[in-house]
Amino acid sequence: MASARERAGGGGLGADELATETAGRRSDGPAPLFVVRVTKGPDTGKSLVLDWNATPEVRVGKSAASELCLSDPRVSRRHLVLRPDGDRVRLVDTASSNGTRVGGVTVVEARLEGGEVVDLGDSSLKLARAGSLAAGAGAVDHFGRVLGRSPDMVRVFGLASRLAPSPLSLLVEGEIGTGKALLAEAIHEASPQARGPLAIFECGAAPSDEEAAALLGSSGSLARAAGGTLVLHEVGNLALAAQSRLAAALRRSPARVIATTRRDLEAAVNDGALLEDLLFRVAGARIALPPLRRRPGDVELLSRHFWQLYGGAGEPPRSFVLLASRHEWPGNVRELEQAVARRIALGDDRDAAGPSFRELRGGGDPVERVLAMDLAMPAARQLVVEDFERRYVERALDAHGGNVSRAAAASGLTRRYFHMLLAKRR
């Protein structure tokens, strides 16, 4: 299968380009404004402005919850999503039934710069640039204790600042270590609910028969959050036994709810792992945190912040910052924080960062490399699982000449679930 990243303009950096890339990709000006228009199919003529100041992503599909709702019967309920990616748009096929094609090539994920034609079902969309999009009121380098100055983070801060005063429930989405919990707390601190309590509940941390009581009992987290905010960490891990009771309780709760997730919750609903009613209750609005690898300039900013936080002398060494800027950071900001702390303690760039500076795909024991990152157990376990899934999917595809249907059948998986694993590959 052709690499979507290669087809859509992705690529790595050479060491000699790194210094200029770190500064050069940073953009303090207005982000480009994109318009997507339906050019073929039953909804021809329909169009939508991609206003990233108003929403962190645009969903395209038959679902009424989609920002661009299509009536094409061959389009999936949630077919694809469009997200900001610096000065481009990232397209992600969300395990659609009939696939997504860009320029005639079937893709799982692609970076678009404008002018591309996207085919899905019997419909076609065209993405076009249409001037610039002002960054809005959140154009600063932090929101609470969350730091960043990349275009995507500026948009996150603008959206968070507008949503914080609202009583709407919020869903904060993002990969492991992107700062979802910290952003949830920052939103609480900037909201009217800051005068009330903040209760934090780790979903899936207790046996299922105890979880409902810990969350919904008379002295549970929801009761303690009355008049304030309840943060549900990794809401997709909540036991089914507690989900319907929570959805009912949220209808009359005096607490605001901010949920976080690293999972695709629409896919979880389709698979029966999450109740749709609960998703509606916690996703009044959404904020998507970008992974660190898509945040130009932020590795340097965060390296300096953590260097000062952990008592480093002066500025972090330029060699460390350049090396850090080349790394993809599968553990995101959390992994970078640990790397800076080790660099201060041990004094050597590579030894301080340990295996976390080497790709998880390299040689040696991947479990030992993840353990060396000093992550919390749920995050470490997820990295190992995701690395195994990626390797398994790649091996299955190679064994079957890139044919997804045959690879899925041989793996004992449904084609839909295999596509979901395929979409998570880096």
Side-chain angles (χ1 to χ4, degrees):
M1 175 180 288
S3 166
R5 186 166 299 181
E6 293 170 0
R7 297 277 184 177
L13 292 174
D16 56 342
E17 299 171 290
L18 183 59
T20 55
E21 177 70 8
T22 301
R25 288 180 62 195
R26 187 182 304 144
S27 173
D28 296 324
L33 179 67
F34 290 91
V35 176
V36 62
R37 182 179 298 277
V38 183
T39 58
K40 177 186 173 184
D43 303 287
T44 296
K46 181 180 283 190
S47 64
L48 181 70
V49 175
L50 305 186
D51 184 357
W52 306 130
N53 288 333
T55 181
E57 67 178 21
V58 167
R59 293 161 291 181
V60 180
K62 287 191 299 187
S63 169
S66 299
E67 284 75 18
L68 183 56
C69 182
L70 303 178
S71 57
D72 184 342
R74 295 192 65 242
V75 168
S76 296
R77 183 172 178 272
R78 187 173 185 256
H79 198 105
L80 61 87
V81 295
L82 301 170
R83 298 176 178 134
D85 188 357
D87 62 351
R88 298 187 182 186
V89 173
R90 183 166 295 272
L91 178 153
V92 180
D93 181 282
T94 49
S96 64
S97 299
N98 296 312
T100 301
R101 298 168 299 286
V102 176
V105 178
T106 299
V107 300
V108 174
E109 185 171 342
R111 292 181 73 208
L112 311 178
E113 58 184 22
E116 295 88 351
V117 173
V118 179
D119 297 309
L120 60 163
D122 292 324
S123 299
S124 296
L125 314 176
K126 185 166 185 178
L127 183 73
R129 290 190 181 226
S132 298
L133 181 64
V140 294
D141 64 359
H142 71 282
F143 180 80
R145 291 172 291 152
V146 184
L147 303 181
R149 59 189 174 202
S150 58
D152 286 352
M153 288 304 291
V154 168
R155 283 188 284 268
V156 165
F157 297 157
L159 186 57
S161 66
R162 288 192 298 277
L163 289 173
S166 166
L168 274 174
S169 62
L170 299 179
L171 180 63
V172 181
E173 302 170 284
E175 294 180 5
I176 288 170
T178 49
K180 299 184 294 293
L182 196 61
L183 181 62
E185 293 178 26
I187 291 171
H188 165 75
E189 291 163 1
S191 73
Q193 288 79 22
R195 296 187 293 268
L198 172 66
I200 299 172
F201 188 82
E202 190 73 41
C203 299
S208 58
D209 56 346
E210 300 174 9
E211 190 168 47
L215 176 59
L216 302 167
S218 58
S219 59
S221 295
L222 183 59
R224 294 199 306 272
T229 303
L230 171 65
V231 176
L232 296 169
H233 284 331
E234 295 299 341
V235 67
N237 294 341
L238 190 65
L240 279 170
Q243 290 183 23
S244 59
R245 289 181 58 190
L246 175 61
L250 292 181
R251 297 189 189 106
R252 57 185 184 276
S253 173
R256 183 188 195 176
V257 173
I258 303 178
T260 74
T261 184
R262 57 178 163 73
R263 298 176 59 185
D264 181 339
L265 295 188
E266 276 79 9
V269 169
N270 292 339
D271 293 339
L274 186 73
L275 297 180
E276 188 170 41
D277 186 34
L278 179 58
L279 177 57
F280 288 150
R281 298 291 170 191
V282 301
R286 297 178 182 232
I287 300 178
L289 276 170
L292 189 53
R293 63 184 176 275
R294 296 179 192 158
R295 294 172 52 178
D298 283 355
V299 168
E300 184 173 0
L301 174 70
L302 291 165
S303 293
R304 287 190 174 125
H305 168 71
F306 292 134
W307 188 265
Q308 295 171 358
L309 182 66
Y310 286 97
E315 293 286 315
R318 188 63 181 165
S319 59
F320 176 87
V321 173
L322 293 180
L323 187 61
S325 297
R326 295 184 63 186
H327 185 53
E328 285 201 349
W329 299 109
N332 291 291
V333 178
R334 187 183 302 151
E335 184 188 352
L336 175 60
E337 178 180 3
Q338 296 292 339
V340 173
R342 281 193 295 270
R343 174 61 177 81
I344 293 171
L346 301 177
D348 181 84
D349 291 343
R350 286 188 178 272
D351 289 342
S356 66
F357 254 136
R358 305 182 187 101
E359 291 295 332
L360 209 56
R361 309 174 189 193
D365 183 354
V367 174
E368 287 299 325
R369 291 199 299 278
V370 171
L371 290 175
M373 295 179 189
D374 294 333
L375 302 172
M377 183 178 175
R381 178 176 54 207
Q382 184 62 24
L383 277 180
V384 173
V385 170
E386 288 179 351
D387 185 54
F388 166 76
E389 290 175 343
R390 177 188 58 75
R391 291 171 183 244
Y392 190 99
V393 165
E394 289 177 349
R395 184 182 291 263
L397 282 174
D398 288 343
H400 295 278
N403 186 293
V404 173
S405 296
R406 289 201 298 267
S411 303
L413 303 172
T414 65
R415 188 172 180 272
R416 180 181 183 83
Y417 187 71
F418 194 90
H419 262 298
M420 288 174 57
L421 297 181
L422 191 63
K424 294 196 296 183
R425 291 190 308 166
R426 301 199 193 284

